[in-house]
Amino acid sequence: MSTPNPPPGAFDSALDSALDRAFGHPSGLLGRVGGRLMSRANAATERRLVALARLEPDETVLVVGPGPGIGLDAASRVAGKTIGVEPSPEMRALCHERCGDRAELRSGTAAATGSLDSSVDAVLSVNNVQLWDDRAAGFAELFRVLRPGGRLLLSAHEKWLPIPRHALAAEVTAAGFTDLQTWTWEPPGFATLAAQLRARKP
């Protein structure tokens, strides 16, 4: 008996679904495997963004989409209070393994952080903005939770950005941020070129 051919695009669809479960919206075994891979691939960029933030011991930092928690861990060793907002239970578990009680973990997104108005000194996000369902809502939320003078630092693989880097910068400006700077950075190893952005809440 012959086996019917799969419909056109079936393999592509299955691959896209697997990649999403591993990296986009980590879940299950694939999510845990993806988290381990991300912790290696993104480590240099995560630590670089924490260094650029110049966190102080009396500051509160919010990490949006910390994934397996490399940047969250680095921030928690400098800032007075560190909060990670992550929708994936698998990634929150990895963050807890890595950070213990040094970081507060919440289920949430860029558009729903669970933070009070003007309660955060810095917001960091690495390779997450391309997953936001509504970037305008995300930037508005981050603007809301930052204190006046607070800073936003964002990094993402440039080739995976949904829009060009300068268009993304324009969205940040439209949300009310000022003193905006954007550049590219080539991480060590085999990681792809990163688009990076820094801005302040006036």
Side-chain angles (χ1 to χ4, degrees), residues 89-163:
E90 285 78 8
M91 293 302 101
R92 292 199 303 274
L94 290 178
C95 285
H96 183 69
E97 287 177 20
R98 179 167 276 112
C99 302
D101 294 333
R102 286 187 284 80
E104 176 186 340
L105 295 168
R106 300 175 185 164
S107 175
T109 64
T113 66
S115 294
L116 299 174
D117 291 357
S118 303
S119 61
V120 172
D121 297 288
V123 173
L124 311 180
S125 181
V126 173
N127 294 333
N128 187 253
V129 68
Q130 66 269 25
L131 303 175
W132 298 1
D133 292 330
D134 185 335
R135 288 191 307 277
F139 288 130
E141 170 73 352
L142 301 183
F143 187 88
R144 179 187 70 80
V145 304
L146 277 167
R147 295 188 175 103
R151 58 261 190 218
L152 167 69
L153 289 100
L154 184 150
S155 180
H157 296 300
E158 187 166 48
K159 70 176 182 179
W160 291 348
L161 282 177
I163 58 175

Side-chain angles (χ1 to χ4, degrees), residues 32-107:
R32 291 191 290 276
V33 171
R36 301 296 181 186
L37 293 173
M38 284 188 283
S39 67
R40 294 186 179 185
N42 294 337
T45 303
E46 298 268 9
R47 294 186 178 114
R48 172 180 167 81
L49 213 66
V50 170
L52 289 172
R54 298 180 180 177
L55 301 171
E56 297 290 342
D58 62 344
E59 290 188 319
T60 296
V61 59
L62 174 68
V63 182
V64 177
I70 297 292
L72 190 74
D73 178 54
S76 73
R77 296 178 185 276
V78 183
K81 182 177 182 180
T82 304
I83 303 164
V85 175
E86 169 63 60
S88 166
E90 285 78 8
M91 293 302 101
R92 292 199 303 274
L94 290 178
C95 285
H96 183 69
E97 287 177 20
R98 179 167 276 112
C99 302
D101 294 333
R102 286 187 284 80
E104 176 186 340
L105 295 168
R106 300 175 185 164
S107 175

